[in-house]
Structure formats: structure tokens, C-alpha cells
């Protein structure tokens, strides 16, 4: 797959309430899962080739809980799908791009991801992601 907006990450207090809103528009949650190391519950809503990712904190010390405390519900990050994540990270690091963390992680649905710091991405928290290469 090539470059595309993979998803928009939206921080919400309640997945249940938030998903009900989108369901009124005829959209359906594809899957819901907890990502333990990020301390969030995630609901993915397909929108064409892209998705809306609803994020509800599972703990008061999760990044999303802190975001909600500081700024309230709202757009948390934009995720860009790239064809080759490690190549993209290498290229960006060579040009001095700041990342939230240096390692590539595994997220909801098994995709690989890394976050670019907003100071390097025009004030937007930017997730770069790639589908998990299928284990053969
Ligand atoms: Zn995301």
C-alpha cells in the first residue's frame, strides 16, 4: 500500500458515547481493543480507505488521560500510512526530525507505528504507520 491518511486519532472520555455519534451517521465500529502499553481502549471506524480511531484512556496516567485533562476531548493525532516505515524513520532522523520515542511499536490491529514530535511536523502530532508484514 502507498501513502494515505491511515486514520485520525480522537481522544474521547467514553468510547460508548463517541461511537454512538458515528453510528448515527451510518458508520460502524470495525473492532475495539485495548492496547495495554498505551493504556487505551481503541475503537476503529472505517471511513472509505481511511479510519477514525477513537481513544479512551484505561488509566489516569495514560497519555490520553493527560491529554483529556489538559485539552478536553478532540483531535489527538493524524496517522499517515507509509509504504516502508523503517526507511521513512531513517530518512527523517537523518534530517534531524524529533520523534516521541525512538523505537517502532506495535499497535491496534498489529500495525507498526511511531510518533513524530509536533515540533517537527507543523504542530501536529503525526503517527507514521505501516501494516504488520505478514509472518510467513
Ligand atoms: Zn493512531
Amino acid at each position: 500500500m502507498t501513502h494515505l491518511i491511515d486514520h485520525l486519532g480522537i481522544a474521547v472520555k467514553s468510547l460508548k458515547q463517541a461511537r454512538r455519534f458515528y453510528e448515527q451517521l451510518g458508520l460502524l465500529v470495525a473492532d475495539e481493543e485495548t492496547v495495554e502499553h498505551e493504556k487505551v481502549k481503541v475503537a476503529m471506524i472505517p471511513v472509505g480507505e481511511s479510519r477514525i480511531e477513537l481513544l479512551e484512556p484505561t488509566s489516569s496516567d495514560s497519555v490520553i488521560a493527560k491529554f483529556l485533562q489538559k485539552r478536553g476531548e478532540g483531535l489527538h493525532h493524524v496517522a499517515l500510512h507509509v509504504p516502508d516505515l523503517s526507511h521513512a524513520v531513517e530518512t527523517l532522523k537523518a534530517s534531524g526530525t524529533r520523534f516521541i520515542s525512538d523505537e517502532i511499536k506495535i499497535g491496534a490491529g498489529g500495525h507498526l507505528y511511531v510518533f513524530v514530535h509536533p515540533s517537527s511536523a507543523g504542530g501536529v502530532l503525526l503517527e507514521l504507520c505501516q501494516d504488520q508484514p505478514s509472518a510467513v
Side-chain angles (χ1 to χ4, degrees):
M1 223 203 300
T2 172
H3 292 81
L4 64 91
I5 300 292
D6 188 84
H7 62 268
L8 302 174
I10 300 175
V12 300
K13 290 179 189 150
S14 157
L15 274 193
K16 221 172 140 190
Q17 245 180 41
R19 59 183 285 177
R20 203 175 301 144
F21 170 78
Y22 290 99
E23 281 162 2
Q24 286 174 46
L25 292 168
L27 296 167
L28 288 173
V29 172
D31 53 354
E32 210 173 290
E33 73 176 279
T34 301
V35 182
E36 299 291 349
H37 67 270
E38 299 281 11
K39 296 175 182 164
V40 286
K41 232 163 54 179
V42 178
M44 279 294 186
I45 304 175
V47 183
E49 283 198 344
S50 189
R51 294 172 293 175
I52 288 171
E53 177 186 63
L54 301 173
L55 302 155
E56 179 194 315
T58 56
S59 158
S60 58
D61 65 343
S62 95
V63 172
I64 296 300
K66 285 173 195 153
F67 179 90
L68 288 171
Q69 276 159 27
K70 241 168 86 180
R71 317 207 3 206
E73 294 185 304
L75 185 63
H76 179 258
H77 64 271
V78 172
L80 186 65
H81 184 282
V82 294
D84 184 345
L85 183 55
S86 42
H87 176 72
V89 168
E90 239 171 72
T91 307
L92 292 176
K93 271 188 184 161
S95 71
T97 298
R98 273 181 75 193
F99 287 84
I100 298 289
S101 92
D102 275 340
E103 33 160 353
I104 291 173
K105 295 182 184 171
I106 299 175
H111 75 284
L112 306 174
Y113 72 97
V114 68
F115 279 99
V116 176
H117 195 279
S119 64
S120 289
V124 174
L125 178 59
L126 183 69
E127 176 181 353
L128 298 176
C129 62
Q130 180 200 323
D131 303 325
Q132 175 86 290
S134 49
V136 184

